[in-house]
Amino acid sequence: MTAWTAAALALLAGAGPLCLWGVASGRPVRRLVAMSLLSTVVGAVFLVLPRAYGRSSYQDLALTLAVVSPTGTLVFTRFVAGADPDAPDNGASSGAAEEMAGEGP
Amino acid sequence: MNTALVGVALGLVVVCATIAVLCREPARQAVVLAALGLSLSVLFAVLQSPDVALSQLAVGTALTPLLILLTIRKVSRRPAADPRRTDEEAGDGE
């Protein structure tokens, strides 16, 4: 087992389940943050894997993930924070977040 | 050494898919589906097929949650988007 494989294994087995737990529980904003952290961890894994396999062409995965991941985060942010663009700012955002979390009045 | 990587990626996919099935609300399910797309792309990359991982990354991480969220917005705008507005409309109606 080379050091690069061990690094990828540590990233996947250590940070992956933690991010999955964050994605699976909590309020929508917390899920969004855990999702961003998971994409960052996977980007690091995609940068380590070409070193482990000795194929530098696998780095295209990390490049594509770096392009795609902020787009997905923006989509979720638009849905969580801007559920109703016509309403006033603070009441709309907190009301939408609580409504999505299922804890709203 | 590659077997351990494949096993860990497969375990992540299994856990994430189970969470996605057990989650009942579509807005939360979209987030879990994005995480499932990431896990699947890691599994495909570990199984030495980076082109499949590339396609899975583009479709499963960005496109599927976007379509699901747009559908949720389109479907549930009237009854659940803003309860205050429906109250005002009810007051105007009365």
Side-chain angles (χ1 to χ4, degrees):
Chain A
M1 174 181 286
T2 64
W4 295 108
T5 312
L9 195 59
L11 273 176
L12 271 184
L18 281 178
C19 295
L20 275 188
W21 179 64
V23 165
S25 67
R27 301 177 62 118
V29 178
R30 184 166 173 269
R31 289 169 191 246
L32 187 61
V33 171
M35 182 63 219
S36 299
L37 182 60
L38 179 64
S39 61
T40 304
V41 168
V42 171
V45 169
F46 282 160
L47 281 179
V48 170
L49 278 182
R51 291 290 184 172
Y53 293 143
R55 302 185 182 186
S56 61
S57 64
Y58 282 17
Q59 288 176 355
D60 294 346
L61 287 173
L63 180 66
T64 309
L65 179 64
V67 172
V68 163
S69 154
T71 310
T73 306
L74 277 181
V75 167
F76 282 119
T77 309
R78 178 76 176 84
F79 188 79
V80 169
D84 193 2
D86 295 331
D89 221 3
N90 44 5
S93 59
S94 67
E98 286 176 0
E99 192 174 328
M100 282 183 63
E103 300 166 358
Chain B
M1 60 183 186
N2 202 7
T3 312
L5 269 177
V6 171
V8 168
L10 202 59
L12 281 182
V13 167
V14 166
V15 169
C16 204
T18 308
I19 292 172
V21 168
L22 291 181
C23 193
R24 298 302 298 172
E25 191 181 357
R28 302 179 187 183
Q29 211 170 16
V31 184
V32 184
L33 271 182
L36 176 63
L38 275 179
S39 306
L40 270 177
S41 81
V42 169
L43 177 65
F44 290 146
V46 165
L47 288 177
Q48 308 283 325
S49 59
D51 43 356
V52 186
L54 208 60
S55 306
Q56 175 63 41
L57 204 62
V59 172
T61 306
L63 218 57
T64 309
L66 174 65
L67 288 180
I68 289 178
L69 287 182
L70 285 180
T71 309
I72 293 172
R73 280 192 69 144
K74 191 72 174 176
V75 165
S76 69
R77 174 170 294 174
R78 278 299 165 177
D82 193 0
R84 195 158 36 97
R85 175 177 297 174
T86 60
D87 289 339
E88 285 177 359
E89 285 179 1
D92 290 337
E94 289 174 0

